[in-house]
Structure formats: C-alpha cells, structure tokens
Amino acid sequence: MTHRSLRSTSAAAVVVTALASVLIGHQPAHAAADRIRLGNSSDVSRGSWNGPAFTMNGAGGIVTASMTRAIDEIRGGTGSLDVVVLAGSAPTSGSKTPECDTITTLSGVNSCTTWTLTAAADGNNSQVNTDVRNAEFVYFAGGDQCRYTAWKGTALEASVESVVAKGGGSGGGSAGHHINSPIVYDACNGSVTSAEALANPYDRYISFTTGMFEWANYGAVINDSHFVTRDRMGRTMAFLARSVKDGLAPGGAAWGVGVEEGGGSLFLDRNGTATQYGKDAYVVLADHQPEQAVDRKPLTYSGFKIWRLTPGSTFDFKNRPTCGYYLRSVTNGVADANLYSGTPVTDCGGQGGGAALAESEPNDTRDTADDATGLASPASLTGGMKSTSDRDYFKLSVNAGQTVSVNCAVPSAYDADLYWLDANGSTLERSVNDGAGTDESLSFTRTGSGTGTYYLDMEAYSGSGSATYTCTVTKS
C-alpha cells in the first residue's frame, strides 16, 4: 500500500512445508525490532552467486512464479539461499510472517527471517544488518514506504546494497515495490490520488526520496503499485512530469513502472531484461519538459509514451526500446481516455524487442518440434492446447554456463504443464502448478561444455481451447 498503515494478511490458513513450520528464532533484538526466523538456523556459505535478480510486485504478497525464478537465477539452479523480509509494521491479523510462510515452501530456500522494524534507528541495529548481509535476497513487505525511506543513510541501506552487489537480489510488493526504484514516491505527507495529482502536480501529498537504492539498468524510474485497480496512471504521469521539471531524473527523461495487484510481478534479471508475471504492468515515459507543471495549477503534458506489459511479455531496461508504445496526454489536469490500453504508434515485434515463434502443428514430438534455436533472447513462444492430449515441443540450444529461464502465461481456458527435456527426451526440470490459467515457470543451467540441444514441452493437463499461451525464454 502507499497509505501509511499497518500490514494486513488474509485470515485464510497458510499451508507450509516442514521447513517453514520449524520456528528457529523469535526474539526481540531490542525494544523496537522483532525477529522471527523460519527454516535452518545456520546461513548458507558460498563463494559466488549468479544474480542480481529483482521482483517488483503490485501488491504486498509474494508472487511465487517470479520469486521462484529469482531464487533459481541467484543460486544458478543449485544449492540453497537465505532470505530476509523487512517490514515497517507487524500484520494486523493472521500470521506474523506471511511472506516467509510462502517463501519457505519454495525450492532452494535455506531460511527466511522476518524483521519488523518500527523506528528509523533500527536501520543501525547490528543483528538486523548481520542477517541482511548474510542473506542472498531481501524482500520489503507492503505497508508504508515512508518508514523504509527513513533508513536512508543507515547501515541497513548499505547492507541491502551489499546483497545485490554479491549477486543476490532485492524486491518487494506495494510499499516494498516503491522503495526499489531510484526515485521513490514516499507518501510521507499522505497518499495522493490521480485526480489530486493531475489537478496540482505540486500537491502537498506528493513528496519524493532520491539517492537510496540505484539498481543497475533501472535508472530514472519511479515505481507505483495497485496500478489499474486504484487508477494510478494519472498520478504516475504527474510524478514523471515533476521528476523531469525538478531535475530528479538524469538526462531529462523519467520512467514510471506501474504494476497491477492480484498477482502482478515484474521480474528483472541481471542483464536488465524484465519479464511480466500474473497481471499487467505499464512502463510510462516522460521524455520532455511539461507544458505546464507549477504549484496550484493543473498539469499539461503532451505525449506520454506507454508500454503495456501483459503476462509473459518482456521489456529491456538496459537498452530501452524506442518503439511499441502508445501515446496519451494530459491537458489542464484532464487525462486522455483509455489510459490503460492503446494501439502502438510503432511496432517493434513485442515489448522490448526479442523474437517470437508461433507453434506450427504437428509439433507433438521431438522429431516434429518447432525450431527456436535461432531466436534471440528474450524469445516468445506461443501456442494453444487444441485438445486435452495436446503436446507442443520447441527445440532450443543452450551454451555452456548459460541459464535459461522459461515463464509461461497460461490462459484460463485450460491447465497446461511445462517440461524441460534433454536431447534424449529425459525430463530435467518441470513446472506442474494446479489450476486452469495458472502460470508455469522453470529455469535450467547448462553445466556441461559446448552447446547442448534441449526441448521445451508444453502439455495439456486438463481442458483445451484456442486461447494462446505465451512462454518467454530468456538466456543469461
């Protein structure tokens, strides 16, 4: 959330594995900080990690598909890692560790420690900083990003940065999404609506924190959450116009990243390629000075460039595209209609480039597999489950040391499972989540020498239909 309020969790029971159910430590480190550790009491010790990786969620909870990918990419598909969850307030109901309850069910997690820190001085707590520096991923819970910005300049800021620097990762949801951008709408004066922000881009509720977390390939970005449900496109436009006008963004251009709630998550890999999970996200660019952005006057800005990222699509933050966007403007505080959809002015073959291949039947065996070996990364593979026994094979090649991540957005018409096979057809990795419309994802690292041939196998589990699934294949 961007309102300054306590975290809330669902009252529904959370089913966790034996790892999560073992409460290793629950003790207040001092009056204002509370620590609960789930999983193993000892941290993993390892010389190198394969990140960084980031998850930017539209709501406070963990999105398992993107979190699984982050864990797999950081550990390179082998071993396990430690996670720390940072929260500025305790949940008002339910579990005291809702994020760790989910994280500890995921493969490759050694431990998950929740720290609830209610004072700015907690950023210099020695045990907090030891836990964070020993972790490989830091997740900022939902709640109040103003409390997180209070840690700017403390030891905790440097500790989180050290996790990313060693090849780990960072992420968060809602308020935790906001804090992971270099320009933070901090909500320290209260939360602002789109109508208020467009009517006065210098409204007293609009304030920013800069100079905190500056992740590679993610410069000049302002994050926003609960994006479509709470109609936040307008206020993001005002934030961007302010950032350009006030010189907060280098180079005279500011970028907004708004992620929808309900399972929306933007995953960012070490090469700057983002993949969207669950629900839509929007990338919004303000690349010139606003026609009008002054205190107590409505905003006027012509030509915001907007990219809509649907689940499974990608966006290259390292080499940001100059095509594929639609345009929307604000005139005297009134935004154009249809802010959340539009026809791209120019088409660059998908969000952020890459290459695409649609299935061609028959492709039900390895011998008849569609050949995707020549596609650039990220590649988009599409198809449909035409019957309840349909199987779609795609042939790919992987070089020595490469990690391949596959994220498949599955339509609600059917339940499909994802398999990664070697050249002989043996299953090396699989993703078999239950339920129609449930996304599937996996990752694989080639440890052998030379180049190997592999097959992506998408199989119908239940249901069928012409609705298209999209599998995004990223090599790093």
Side-chain angles (χ1 to χ4, degrees):
M1 294 166 55
T2 56
H3 299 281
R4 294 203 281 153
S5 59
L6 298 178
R7 285 191 295 160
S8 62
T9 62
S10 170
V14 179
V15 180
V16 298
T17 63
L19 174 66
S21 65
V22 178
L23 182 62
I24 298 299
H26 178 198
Q27 73 260 27
H30 60 71
D34 186 69
R35 176 183 190 264
I36 303 176
R37 183 175 177 111
L38 302 179
N40 293 329
S41 59
S42 299
D43 291 315
V44 172
S45 178
R46 177 166 149 176
S48 63
W49 301 91
N50 290 3
F54 306 91
T55 61
M56 312 285 189
N57 298 352
I62 301 296
V63 176
T64 56
S66 63
M67 191 68 191
T68 296
R69 181 170 172 186
I71 292 167
D72 287 346
E73 293 214 359
I74 290 169
R75 66 191 183 94
T78 62
S80 61
L81 52 70
D82 299 291
V83 179
V84 168
V85 174
L86 297 176
S89 61
T92 56
S93 63
S95 172
K96 293 183 178 180
T97 58
E99 298 83 11
C100 281
D101 290 347
T102 299
I103 290 170
T104 50
T105 68
L106 305 179
S107 177
V109 175
N110 178 65
S111 72
C112 185
T113 301
T114 299
W115 274 100
T116 303
L117 311 175
T118 58
D122 292 335
N124 291 315
N125 179 293
S126 60
Q127 189 174 4
V128 172
N129 282 281
T130 296
D131 279 348
V132 170
R133 286 182 176 272
N134 288 339
E136 288 70 53
F137 195 91
V138 179
Y139 187 88
F140 291 82
D144 174 9
Q145 63 263 35
C146 186
R147 295 190 180 186
Y148 297 152
T149 60
W151 300 335
K152 179 182 175 180
T154 68
L156 185 53
E157 179 187 351
S159 294
V160 174
E161 291 167 345
S162 76
V163 173
V164 173
K166 72 180 179 182
S170 178
S174 192
H177 172 51
H178 286 261
I179 198 63
N180 274 283
S181 59
I183 306 170
V184 181
Y185 164 63
D186 57 35
C188 289
N189 298 325
S191 185
V192 70
T193 66
S194 285
E196 292 167 339
L198 293 174
N200 179 10
Y202 286 83
D203 187 287
R204 65 187 181 90
Y205 288 139
I206 302 177
S207 57
F208 302 105
T209 295
T210 59
M212 200 167 174
F213 298 130
E214 303 267 356
W215 305 136
N217 304 311
Y218 207 63
V221 172
I222 306 172
N223 285 345
D224 209 347
S225 57
H226 305 280
F227 201 63
V228 180
T229 298
R230 300 187 186 179
D231 189 21
R232 287 179 166 172
M233 180 70 82
R235 77 175 198 177
T236 290
M237 290 172 161
F239 297 165
L240 296 174
R242 273 279 306 271
S243 296
V244 173
K245 179 73 178 292
D246 297 347
L248 301 181
W255 300 72
V257 174
V259 183
E260 174 60 330
E261 62 182 54
S265 180
L266 188 80
F267 172 84
L268 185 67
D269 71 15
R270 65 183 182 183
N271 298 315
T273 299
T275 303
Q276 184 60 25
Y277 287 78
K279 293 292 181 70
D280 291 354
Y282 293 82
V283 178
V284 187
L285 171 61
D287 58 2
H288 63 79
Q289 286 289 327
E291 286 80 359
Q292 177 172 282
V294 295
D295 189 20
R296 300 180 185 178
K297 289 188 177 181
L299 176 67
T300 295
Y301 189 103
S302 60
F304 286 101
K305 296 174 180 176
I306 304 173
W307 290 261
R308 181 181 180 181
L309 307 184
T310 56
S313 61
T314 61
F315 191 91
D316 189 346
F317 279 95
K318 184 177 182 180
N319 302 293
R320 301 186 188 184
T322 57
C323 50
Y325 56 83
Y326 61 94
L327 296 171
R328 292 293 182 267
S329 299
V330 177
T331 305
N332 291 323
V334 179
D336 289 344
N338 300 320
L339 291 179
Y340 300 98
S341 63
T343 301
V345 174
T346 57
D347 184 5
C348 51
Q351 311 286 356
L357 175 65
E359 68 154 322
S360 177
E361 296 284 3
N363 62 344
D364 295 344
T365 66
R366 285 180 289 122
D367 290 338
T368 59
D370 291 306
D371 191 350
T373 56
L375 296 185
S377 175
S380 178
L381 309 179
T382 60
M385 295 288 95
K386 307 301 190 298
S387 69
T388 56
S389 60
D390 195 7
R391 304 176 69 167
D392 295 340
Y393 283 83
F394 296 88
K395 181 180 179 181
L396 299 104
S397 61
V398 183
N399 297 330
Q402 271 191 329
T403 296
V404 178
S405 298
V406 183
N407 168 46
C408 296
V410 180
S412 59
Y414 47 78
D415 182 355
D417 293 332
L418 173 64
Y419 297 85
W420 183 261
L421 314 178
D422 66 15
N424 297 317
S426 298
T427 300
L428 302 178
E429 301 288 346
R430 72 186 69 200
S431 177
V432 290
N433 297 322
D434 288 333
T438 303
D439 295 347
E440 304 289 352
S441 62
L442 57 79
S443 65
F444 171 80
T445 300
R446 177 169 170 78
T447 57
S449 60
T451 300
T453 297
Y454 300 91
Y455 294 89
L456 184 157
D457 171 19
M458 198 69 166
E459 296 187 10
Y461 179 76
S462 64
S464 62
S466 59
T468 300
Y469 64 78
T470 300
C471 293
T472 301
V473 180
T474 305
K475 297 179 181 180
S476 60

